[in-house]
Amino acid sequence: MADTRFSSEGRNHIEAKNYRNHVSSNHHQIIPIKKEETWKRLVEKNGRCNVTPSIRANLRRYAVDLFTTSVDMPWRYNLIMVILGFFLNWFLFGCIYYAIAFNRGDFDNLENQEWKPCFRNFKNWKSAFMFSIETQTTIGYGFRCPTEECGEAMFFLVFQTIWSNLLEAFIIGSFIAKFSRPKLRAKTIMFSKTACITMKDGRLIFQFRLGDLRKSPIVEGHIRLQMVKHHITKEGCYVPFQVFDINIGHEYGLDRIFLVWPIEIAHEINEESPLYEYSKETLLESDFEIIAILEGIVEATGTTTQVRTSYLPNEIEWGYDFKAVISEKNGVMDVNLDNFHRTLITNTSTLSAKQLCDSFVDSLDENVKHSDNQSETDNEECENKKTRIGRKKLEIESSL
């Protein structure tokens, strides 16, 4: 089995840039785009979603699912949470131990050798705070330790030990979950910066390119495409951000991919496609967003990962196709990622798929009408020939 080799792996990774002046690498034509973007991108090129729910109105729901909230938080907030959690825990139980010693009168009998205190060598609040740290960290009591004289002190010692174990288990669990998230695996998945609309086998095709830099492939890879746009129903109801599914061959299993080399994800623009009525001219004046979602299992860890990107109308090149990236060199399949985002001009009509279909139907009607007229003409000529032959026969019979 031939090996697959990747070249220029680090130079072609996705960047969240503004492609307003994007020029294809093999030609000098600048892609025309709208002067002003009226559509605000829902999904960034790097997959980050620009949807922010109101946290204040649902703060209680975030607090109920505190573990998931801590995993989703940025690292700086996690570190602040750990520091505050430990410090407040030490401070709270330090105050409790100080209050117990104060109410028992331990601080008033520091010089009394016959006094039986709750805690040995407790002199002030600092001693209580240090005792709280020693209890929670279980480093062992030495100079400062509890006695069996106070039942309330024993109760809070047991309670702090159990509570500290729960707190540390929560923190360790959230950190392990955060470390094991396959979020960074998505950094090596590449989407083409632009998508293309081209003609292939007489059909108008929308396509983009997808690749993986790692040799360990995504297992059970599954790709989905969705178009998001504002929609007005037949009844005149305005529906903002309506989601339309873009079929890439779900019924044939073409949405399940084996991502070992860069592949083109293609969608046939037909009557069921949301792109059916868009032409090259109307495309750039439209407001919509095509979102591409790749889901799969990371082979190394067995965790599920998801990679996202999106394409706006000004990021769709009409009449272009992607350059080839795979070639064979010395029996090895070489993947040249320098051509990953590059495109070539193709001979593609600027009409929409609907206009092409209508023109094809009109041409068929004209051919049918022409054939009908031709058949009528042939029938008339045949009748005329029969009439002439009949007259000839009569003339011959009368002469005889």
Side-chain angles (χ1 to χ4, degrees), residues 385-398:
K385 287 182 180 180
K386 289 180 179 180
T387 304
R388 288 196 297 270
I389 292 172
R391 290 176 180 177
K392 280 286 186 181
K393 287 182 178 181
L394 290 176
E395 289 178 0
I396 294 172
E397 290 177 355
S398 61

Coordinates of all heavy atoms in Angstrom, one line a residue, residues 385-398:
K385 N -48.2 12.4 -52.7 CA -47.7 11.3 -53.5 C -48.7 10.3 -53.8 O -48.8 9.8 -54.9 CB -46.4 10.7 -52.8 CG -45.2 11.6 -52.8 CD -44.0 10.9 -52.2 CE -42.8 11.8 -52.2 NZ -41.6 11.1 -51.5
K386 N -49.5 9.9 -52.7 CA -50.5 8.9 -53.0 C -51.6 9.4 -54.0 O -52.1 8.6 -54.8 CB -51.2 8.6 -51.6 CG -50.4 7.8 -50.7 CD -51.1 7.5 -49.4 CE -50.3 6.7 -48.4 NZ -51.0 6.4 -47.2
T387 N -51.9 10.7 -53.9 CA -52.9 11.2 -54.8 C -52.4 11.2 -56.3 O -53.1 10.8 -57.2 CB -53.2 12.7 -54.4 OG1 -53.7 12.7 -53.1 CG2 -54.3 13.3 -55.3
R388 N -51.1 11.6 -56.4 CA -50.5 11.6 -57.8 C -50.4 10.2 -58.3 O -50.7 9.9 -59.5 CB -49.1 12.2 -57.7 CG -49.1 13.7 -57.5 CD -47.8 14.3 -57.9 NE -46.7 13.8 -57.0 CZ -46.4 14.4 -55.8 NH1 -47.0 15.5 -55.4 NH2 -45.4 13.9 -55.1
I389 N -50.1 9.2 -57.5 CA -50.0 7.8 -57.9 C -51.4 7.3 -58.4 O -51.6 6.6 -59.4 CB -49.4 6.9 -56.8 CG1 -47.9 7.3 -56.6 CG2 -49.6 5.4 -57.1 CD1 -47.3 6.6 -55.4
G390 N -52.4 7.7 -57.6 CA -53.8 7.3 -57.9 C -54.2 7.9 -59.3 O -54.9 7.2 -60.1
R391 N -53.9 9.1 -59.5 CA -54.2 9.7 -60.8 C -53.5 9.0 -62.0 O -54.1 8.8 -63.1 CB -53.9 11.2 -60.8 CG -54.8 12.0 -59.9 CD -54.3 13.5 -59.8 NE -55.2 14.2 -58.9 CZ -55.0 15.5 -58.6 NH1 -53.9 16.2 -59.2 NH2 -55.8 16.2 -57.8
K392 N -52.3 8.7 -61.8 CA -51.5 8.0 -62.8 C -52.2 6.6 -63.2 O -52.3 6.2 -64.3 CB -50.1 7.7 -62.4 CG -49.2 8.9 -62.5 CD -48.8 9.1 -63.9 CE -47.8 10.3 -64.1 NZ -47.5 10.5 -65.5
K393 N -52.6 5.9 -62.1 CA -53.3 4.7 -62.4 C -54.6 4.8 -63.2 O -54.9 4.1 -64.1 CB -53.6 4.0 -61.0 CG -52.4 3.4 -60.3 CD -52.9 2.7 -59.0 CE -51.7 2.1 -58.3 NZ -52.0 1.4 -57.1
L394 N -55.4 5.9 -62.8 CA -56.6 6.1 -63.6 C -56.3 6.5 -65.0 O -57.0 6.0 -66.0 CB -57.4 7.3 -62.9 CG -58.0 6.9 -61.5 CD1 -58.6 8.2 -60.9 CD2 -59.0 5.8 -61.6
E395 N -55.3 7.3 -65.3 CA -54.9 7.6 -66.6 C -54.5 6.4 -67.5 O -54.9 6.3 -68.6 CB -53.8 8.7 -66.6 CG -54.2 10.0 -66.1 CD -53.0 11.0 -66.0 OE1 -51.9 10.6 -66.4 OE2 -53.2 12.1 -65.6
I396 N -53.8 5.5 -66.8 CA -53.3 4.3 -67.5 C -54.5 3.4 -67.8 O -54.6 2.8 -68.9 CB -52.3 3.5 -66.7 CG1 -51.0 4.4 -66.6 CG2 -52.0 2.2 -67.2 CD1 -50.0 3.8 -65.6
E397 N -55.4 3.2 -66.9 CA -56.6 2.4 -67.1 C -57.5 2.9 -68.2 O -58.0 2.2 -69.0 CB -57.4 2.2 -65.8 CG -56.6 1.4 -64.7 CD -57.4 1.3 -63.4 OE1 -58.4 2.0 -63.3 OE2 -56.9 0.6 -62.5
S398 N -57.7 4.3 -68.2 CA -58.5 4.9 -69.3 C -57.9 4.7 -70.7 O -58.6 4.6 -71.7 CB -58.8 6.3 -68.9 OG -57.6 7.0 -68.9

